[in-house]
Amino acid sequence: MTREQWLLKLAKGLEKTVFSDAAAELPKYRVTCGFPSKGGLAAKKRTIGQCWSPKASNDHTTEIIISITQDEPMTVAGVLAHEMVHAAVGTEAGHGPIFRRLALAIGLTGKMTETTETEAFKHRVQPILDEIGEYPHAKLDASQRKKQSTRMVKAACNDCGYTVRLSRKWLAEATPICPIHFSEMSY
């Protein structure tokens, strides 16, 4: 079973249990494992799930993304449920009162931008996880990513605005000269 098949089985299980009990209808959706569009590797406030409006999809399907930095099944279930709440209420509702009402109804709690699973939610979801088996995914360890060690510095001529970019190493050697005005550039 692929990650996407596992996530879809989990989503269908959530839909049949916690979402149907809350009388919440879900639109056509797809679930995948990948990088959120922003914040997927952030050191603080890392994005671990994302729901895209059907307006963004060529076939008008809501797209749900679970970050590849997550691999604990119950946490993944909580993130997926959070994103499914966005799908059910519409992404334009944000984390406001409509979102909050449904999130609380299905067993999510805490700050609505960072919901966590209640014991009741875990109790309802564990049989689904037992049925579908292990999550066939190992999280990506973002700390292994090589950090950029250099940044290019922008230098500009004060007279004409001519710009160049250079490393701090070369800036330490000499200040660049504008090829038009033959004056030192500022940085």
Side-chain angles (χ1 to χ4, degrees):
M1 182 181 334
T2 67
R3 296 181 292 198
E4 285 74 17
Q5 290 168 330
W6 189 93
L7 288 166
L8 188 57
K9 283 186 178 197
L10 176 58
K12 293 301 180 187
L14 291 171
E15 195 173 340
K16 288 177 186 170
T17 57
V18 294
F19 282 90
S20 67
D21 288 354
E25 291 189 31
L26 285 143
K28 181 173 84 168
Y29 62 89
R30 276 191 283 267
V31 184
T32 192
C33 179
F35 271 117
S37 65
K38 63 179 183 174
L41 292 177
K44 297 178 183 176
K45 296 203 177 214
R46 178 174 291 170
T47 302
I48 58 175
Q50 202 167 47
C51 179
W52 284 81
S53 167
K55 295 174 189 169
S57 173
N58 281 347
D59 68 353
H60 308 290
T61 302
T62 299
E63 303 285 348
I64 297 174
I65 301 167
I66 306 301
S67 175
I68 61 176
T69 63
Q70 304 301 305
D71 68 351
E72 198 285 311
M74 187 59 74
T75 302
V76 170
V79 172
L80 179 56
H82 177 108
E83 301 310 328
M84 289 173 74
V85 171
H86 280 299
V89 301
T91 55
E92 60 281 348
H95 294 102
I98 298 169
F99 176 91
R100 180 179 181 77
R101 193 170 18 258
L102 181 55
L104 292 173
I106 68 162
L108 298 178
T109 190
K111 187 177 175 186
M112 288 297 115
T113 55
E114 303 170 0
T115 57
T116 56
E117 308 82 35
T118 62
E119 288 305 315
F121 178 89
K122 291 177 183 179
H123 181 72
R124 298 285 315 278
V125 173
Q126 192 58 54
I128 300 168
L129 295 174
D130 292 342
E131 183 181 322
I132 62 176
E134 289 284 318
Y135 183 31
H137 171 72
K139 73 180 179 178
L140 178 75
D141 182 3
S143 68
Q144 299 301 311
R145 188 175 119 197
K146 183 181 175 193
K147 296 200 181 206
Q148 183 175 343
S149 60
T150 61
R151 287 266 182 209
M152 300 302 277
V153 177
K154 179 180 175 181
C157 175
N158 294 328
D159 297 320
C160 66
Y162 178 86
T163 61
V164 295
R165 296 189 184 275
L166 66 161
S167 69
R168 292 200 183 277
K169 172 188 170 189
W170 293 113
L171 194 56
E173 293 290 323
T175 303
I177 305 292
C178 174
I180 299 167
H181 295 100
F182 304 102
S183 59
E184 280 193 357
M185 299 170 82
S186 56
Y187 52 94

